[in-house]
Amino acid sequence: MKIESWGRYPKLPQKGLFPDWQQQIAAMLNAASDGRFLPFGNGRSYGDVCLAESGQVLVSRGLDRFIKLDREQGFVRVEAGLTLGEILAVIVPLGWFLPVVPGTRLATVGGAIGNDVHGKNHHVRGTFGCHVRRLWLWREGQLLECSPAVNNELFRATIGGLGLTGIIVEAELALMPVQNGQIDTVTHRFDRLEEFFSLAQQYDVSYEYGVAWIDCVSRGSQRGRGVYFAGNHARYRSEIDIQQRQLNFPLTPPVSLVNSLSLKAFNEFYWHTKPAHPKAGRASYLSYFFPLDGILHWNRMYGRAGFQQYQCVIPLANSEAAMAEMLESISASGSGSFLAVLKQCGEVESPGLLSFPLHGTSLALDFPNGRKLGRLFQRLDDITRAADGRLYPAKDAHMTAADFQQAYPQWQQLEALRDPAICSHFWRRVSA
Amino acid sequence: MKNILIIGATSAIAQACARYWLQHSNDCHFVLTGRDQQKLAAIQSDLQIRGAVAVDCLPFDLADESGRASLLERVEQLMPQLDRVLVAPGSLPDQQRCQTDESYAAQAFQLNANAIVLLLERLAGKLEQQRSGKLIVISSVAGDRGRMSNYFYGAAKAAVTTFCSGLMMRLQKAEVSVSIVKPGFVRTPMTADLELPEKLVATPEQVARVIVDGAEKCRSVIYAPGFWLLIMTIIKLIPNFVFRRLSL
Ligand SMILES: Cc1cc2nc3c(=O)[nH]c(=O)nc-3n(C[C@H](O)[C@H](O)[C@H](O)COP(=O)(O)OP(=O)(O)OC[C@H]3O[C@@H](n4cnc5c(N)ncnc54)[C@H](O)[C@@H]3O)c2cc1C
Ligand SMILES: NC(=O)c1ccc[n+]([C@@H]2O[C@H](COP(=O)([O-])OP(=O)(O)OC[C@H]3O[C@@H](n4cnc5c(N)ncnc54)[C@H](OP(=O)(O)O)[C@@H]3O)[C@@H](O)[C@H]2O)c1
């Protein structure tokens, strides 16, 4: 049980404190070397946002009890170490769903709040934080209830607060009703980037979920081709086992690539396996939302050096041009990315102070670590900056303090509310 | 319906076992015993939300003799027949302190050995009468061979292991199975203050899977995780003239 972030970069050795009960927290922190630490969920952040500057993390994963489930009003109160997948496993059979889920079910509630994560339905439901009714924060030896009604300032700072305001020990989450655990899907292949934007607009009207895989290698006339995946909670349930069928996006690339196919060949192949005309289907919620979770430890395929993800969001007005520029730079650089995901973010405001999404377009790509990466990231940062966009702390291991402070002017409000015992490596880097 | 009695239900390993049972059958009734009512209540709601048919809590302190005497009656009222009984309590005393503080050592030994075997004797009587059920007792790899770093704890666990071995033979006649569980290093509150060798540490969930699956198959001895069988076999084979020079 080595404590590292998902990208396994940067490499900063961490020691863990592992409470199983909230009652243990105070004693553990008192006994710890100098009491400085960072809350840590399940390490599904890619960079150094979940790594402590002091090298000591308090792992909340062991606080994993359900406290209350209100089946009438539809909310659940849980300890912060429960993963979203563990919650879904209990509530889906009862006809409820979490209004926002990220691309992994292995994120904990504390981590989902800390990064104020978003899902494929940002245009409808906003971020995870929009559905947090209350939370309980362990801060400087006290347990504080925070909600829009009490301690609102701290509530807002904690959502997207990157773990800096205290340890979230419990949270109350609003749920949304569903008929069953299946998703009606539409798979729609597109030939160029501009089509992504029109498809998103078209599907966003009647579909709750939307995301696109994009071929970031192809150039010229094929630049920006990809596949759009729209989805809605299914009204009717298929009896057949649909667990396997959806295991194609974006999970297959890593494995086949490790086996031998080059990225270019893979993308070519993958694109061509998709129907030329929109195709309807049905998937289980697990395979639709969390395809990558099907491969345990898939991050290991990048070897010892680890990998980095580049995720930015660009305001709508600038997004089409900026995305085109970025794709051009990436394909020209030759450092390809296995996984490249485009999605549109909507206008729903998060209560979170430092929430990442903006009304616009988000691009996320994984890159194996390598020497050339620095130059490419600089180029991408230039484009993001010029387009008034910003990077996602949950995925970041490289952003400069200047870019961060420019993009998140509210950062000083968070700094003022930071628990002085808490600091991440990320925060040290960007608040300098 | 599966009727499950858990003694020492606040144990991290025991909680993980309860959840694992729930993943496999949707009709579990639990009776949880323990000292800390607040923790028991938290586990109660957790198991209820995870799908238990019913969860009852019984305050019970293993160290309290009169409590032990009345325990079975109290359980009987909530759960007339026991299908699974998991006995989890244990505490890891500080070896150094045991060597100098006799009353501390006695207290720890009393809990880990005396109190456990006397309770087991009462439970055995009940199960024998039922002519059905499975008894699952958490001992430890530490009981396999005494080591200088924890021989007070190890000796108490050895007592439990030996006791269960005898119980196993007796209860066989009544078709009651006894499983002796020997966990290795597990990340739980009991080991929270220790520096454990990272590669050998398991989570309560991993261990619970091995315990419950093993017990369902009526395994007599369950090393959890399984690789500890290999490690302990080697440790037991080391001749004493070598063993006494090691610093384990
Ligand atoms: C395959 C994959 C797909 C992903 N898809 C998406 C996506 O679609 N959208 C998206 O937004 N993100 C996505 N992510 C990122 C992931 O959802 C976030 O990084 C999430 O925060 C991880 O949760 P965690 O429990 O692992 O937290 P960690 O990574 O351990 O911690 C995240 C942050 O939360 C803080 N924190 C953790 N627990 C607590 C607590 N108890 N109290 C206070 N602070 C705490 C930490 O200090 C840290 O700052 C994806 C990640 C992966 C691996
Ligand atoms: N963790 C390991 O590495 C490991 C290895 C081998 C064997 N084991 C054994 O596994 C079993 C479960 O332990 P765990 O790892 O799950 O640790 P745990 O979570 O700390 O649980 C310990 C249990 O023992 C009870 N207990 C402790 N001291 C007690 C006392 N004085 N009187 C009454 N009850 C007491 C606790 O009850 P309270 O909540 O009331 O304190 C709790 O239910 C124990 O028998 C332990 O010896 C553990």
Side-chain angles (χ1 to χ4, degrees):
Chain A
M1 284 196 295
K2 191 168 173 197
I3 296 166
E4 53 188 7
S5 65
W6 191 242
R8 306 168 96 200
Y9 175 85
K11 305 234 182 270
L12 302 162
Q14 303 282 311
K15 204 174 130 313
L17 302 172
F18 295 87
D20 282 80
W21 296 95
Q22 295 173 28
Q23 294 93 313
Q24 286 177 279
I25 293 175
M28 278 187 168
L29 288 176
N30 281 336
S33 50
D34 66 352
R36 292 189 310 132
F37 73 105
L38 179 75
F40 183 97
N42 203 20
R44 256 54 190 183
S45 300
Y46 284 62
D48 53 1
V49 79
C50 60
L51 303 178
E53 193 211 7
S54 60
Q56 174 164 276
V57 290
L58 185 131
V59 182
S60 54
R61 177 73 182 100
L63 307 172
D64 62 349
R65 291 173 199 89
F66 285 90
I67 297 164
K68 184 175 181 190
L69 175 64
D70 188 316
R71 302 188 192 198
E72 270 71 56
Q73 288 187 65
F75 68 85
V76 69
R77 178 168 164 186
V78 295
E79 286 186 322
L82 264 181
T83 64
L84 305 187
E86 288 167 336
I87 298 178
L88 290 171
V90 165
I91 64 172
V92 170
L94 302 173
W96 295 100
F97 211 80
L98 289 168
V100 172
V101 293
T104 175
R105 67 178 194 280
L106 298 170
T108 64
V109 169
I113 297 173
N115 277 320
D116 196 15
V117 300
H118 56 275
K120 299 173 171 59
N121 58 351
H122 185 267
H123 60 286
V124 190
R125 315 260 171 202
T127 60
F128 194 87
C130 298
H131 309 279
V132 176
R133 294 161 46 118
R134 296 190 278 177
L135 57 83
W136 285 264
L137 193 66
W138 200 96
R139 180 184 162 94
E140 299 179 281
Q142 273 185 303
L143 190 64
L144 302 171
E145 180 183 330
C146 304
S147 71
V150 278
N151 291 320
N152 182 37
E153 219 192 351
L154 209 47
F155 179 70
R156 294 191 52 219
T158 301
I159 295 175
L162 312 177
L164 302 170
T165 58
I167 306 162
I168 303 163
V169 291
E170 291 178 18
E172 193 174 277
L173 312 171
L175 305 177
M176 69 178 186
V178 291
Q179 301 295 327
N180 55 64
Q182 299 183 352
I183 306 292
D184 281 332
T185 61
V186 178
T187 307
H188 194 147
R189 196 171 90 173
F190 55 89
D191 298 313
R192 61 189 74 80
L193 186 62
E194 300 82 77
E195 272 181 64
F196 161 79
F197 290 93
S198 52
L199 283 178
Q201 210 170 23
Q202 172 194 329
Y203 282 112
D204 276 0
V205 179
S206 45
Y207 283 82
E208 163 113 21
Y209 302 102
V211 67
W213 170 81
I214 187 149
D215 175 359
C216 65
V217 199
S218 295
R219 311 186 63 176
S221 66
Q222 289 171 336
R223 192 188 67 204
R225 67 179 178 177
V227 185
Y228 195 89
F229 299 90
N232 266 331
H233 286 282
R235 180 167 166 75
Y236 305 104
R237 211 177 133 268
S238 299
E239 269 187 280
I240 44 161
D241 181 22
I242 50 176
Q243 202 72 9
Q244 236 61 45
R245 233 181 20 197
Q246 190 76 10
L247 281 178
N248 47 13
F249 168 81
L251 158 139
T252 326
V255 176
S256 351
L257 277 159
V258 171
N259 288 344
S260 71
L261 289 168
S262 78
L263 175 61
K264 199 168 162 61
F266 173 79
N267 280 3
E268 184 74 22
F269 166 80
Y270 183 75
W271 193 80
H272 280 288
T273 57
K274 295 296 153 207
H277 300 287
K279 187 164 178 256
R282 187 164 289 165
S284 80
Y285 79 85
L286 291 170
S287 57
Y288 182 77
F289 292 110
F290 316 119
L292 287 165
D293 289 341
I295 300 180
L296 211 62
H297 300 305
W298 59 264
N299 55 340
R300 286 184 184 157
M301 73 175 176
Y302 290 98
R304 304 186 119 239
F307 70 112
Q308 295 189 51
Q309 184 170 101
Y310 193 92
Q311 182 168 5
C312 62
V313 62
I314 308 287
L316 201 58
N318 307 335
S319 67
E320 202 167 327
M323 291 300 158
E325 242 186 296
M326 287 199 189
L327 287 177
E328 186 58 38
S329 306
I330 293 161
S331 52
S333 79
S335 31
S337 170
F338 295 147
L339 300 167
V341 173
L342 265 183
K343 60 189 162 207
Q344 290 294 48
C345 296
E347 290 173 286
V348 186
E349 280 235 13
S350 165
L353 212 53
L354 235 66
S355 195
F356 158 72
L358 288 173
H359 185 206
T361 309
S362 147
L363 172 68
L365 314 103
D366 289 356
F367 294 94
N369 253 336
R371 263 173 298 126
K372 281 196 292 185
L373 210 51
R375 197 147 8 104
L376 175 63
F377 276 15
Q378 250 172 33
R379 173 84 191 103
L380 298 177
D381 286 350
D382 290 342
I383 301 170
T384 303
R385 192 181 312 117
D388 293 327
R390 61 191 182 202
L391 299 180
Y392 189 9
K395 309 291 181 69
D396 184 71
H398 82 279
M399 156 170 30
T400 65
D403 278 345
F404 174 75
Q405 294 177 11
Q406 170 76 32
Y408 296 91
Q410 326 83 314
W411 76 274
Q412 273 166 322
Q413 273 169 273
L414 177 57
E415 172 61 19
L417 286 170
R418 180 166 69 89
D419 176 337
I422 298 181
C423 193
S424 62
H425 207 268
F426 173 84
W427 196 250
R428 177 55 56 237
R429 180 159 63 81
V430 300
S431 68
Chain B
M1 181 135 79
K2 209 180 252 177
N3 295 301
I4 304 175
L5 168 64
I6 304 184
I7 310 290
T10 55
S11 133
I13 296 176
Q15 279 177 78
C17 289
R19 290 175 185 181
Y20 190 68
W21 264 309
L22 278 175
Q23 279 173 27
H24 290 271
S25 45
N26 50 7
D27 57 351
C28 294
H29 173 195
F30 292 96
V31 172
L32 312 177
T33 81
R35 295 183 294 176
D36 187 327
Q37 295 316 295
Q38 212 185 338
K39 285 183 183 174
L40 282 185
I43 297 168
Q44 180 181 37
S45 13
D46 180 60
L47 295 178
Q48 277 166 344
I49 294 172
R50 287 176 194 261
V53 175
V55 186
D56 296 301
C57 299
L58 270 185
F60 168 60
D61 186 344
L62 191 60
D64 166 21
E65 240 171 86
S66 61
R68 222 155 51 219
S70 63
L71 178 69
L72 279 187
E73 279 167 41
R74 291 157 70 209
V75 172
E76 179 92 34
Q77 285 164 10
L78 298 165
M79 190 178 267
Q81 167 151 0
L82 311 177
D83 299 320
R84 303 286 180 273
V85 180
L86 172 63
V87 179
S91 79
L92 180 62
D94 177 0
Q95 169 70 24
Q96 292 303 322
R97 188 165 164 204
C98 284
Q99 289 168 213
T100 53
D101 181 344
E102 192 180 291
S103 70
Y104 172 78
Q107 212 184 356
F109 204 85
Q110 171 73 24
L111 176 85
N112 284 332
N114 304 27
I116 295 280
V117 301
L118 295 176
L119 174 69
L120 285 174
E121 187 53 43
R122 286 180 191 271
L123 289 167
K126 161 87 178 172
L127 291 169
E128 195 172 39
Q129 199 183 357
Q130 283 184 190
R131 296 194 59 80
S132 118
K134 295 188 199 304
L135 178 61
I136 306 155
V137 183
I138 309 191
S139 181
S140 171
V141 293
D144 279 11
R145 191 167 190 181
R147 290 179 294 117
M148 67 183 237
S149 59
N150 66 359
Y151 58 78
F152 268 96
Y153 176 72
K157 288 297 192 185
V160 173
T161 301
T162 305
F163 184 93
C164 287
S165 159
L167 209 53
M168 178 171 19
M169 297 172 81
R170 173 180 147 205
L171 293 183
Q172 169 74 26
K173 317 269 177 296
E175 283 166 51
V176 170
S177 78
V178 177
S179 297
I180 307 164
V181 180
K182 299 180 181 178
F185 298 126
V186 192
R187 181 93 67 198
T188 70
M190 197 176 92
T191 54
D193 305 331
L194 306 181
E195 298 265 351
L196 300 175
E198 219 172 71
K199 289 219 159 66
L200 295 179
V201 181
T203 62
E205 291 70 35
Q206 289 167 325
V207 172
R209 224 171 297 145
V210 178
I211 296 174
V212 172
D213 289 346
E216 294 302 319
K217 289 181 200 138
C218 302
R219 292 260 158 77
S220 330
V221 177
I222 302 170
Y223 282 89
F227 63 77
W228 282 94
L229 170 60
L230 185 69
I231 298 180
M232 295 321 292
T233 305
I234 294 169
I235 287 188
K236 282 192 284 190
L237 284 174
I238 302 174
N240 271 322
F241 74 90
V242 178
F243 193 70
R244 65 178 180 238
R245 290 185 170 79
L246 302 178
S247 45
L248 285 173

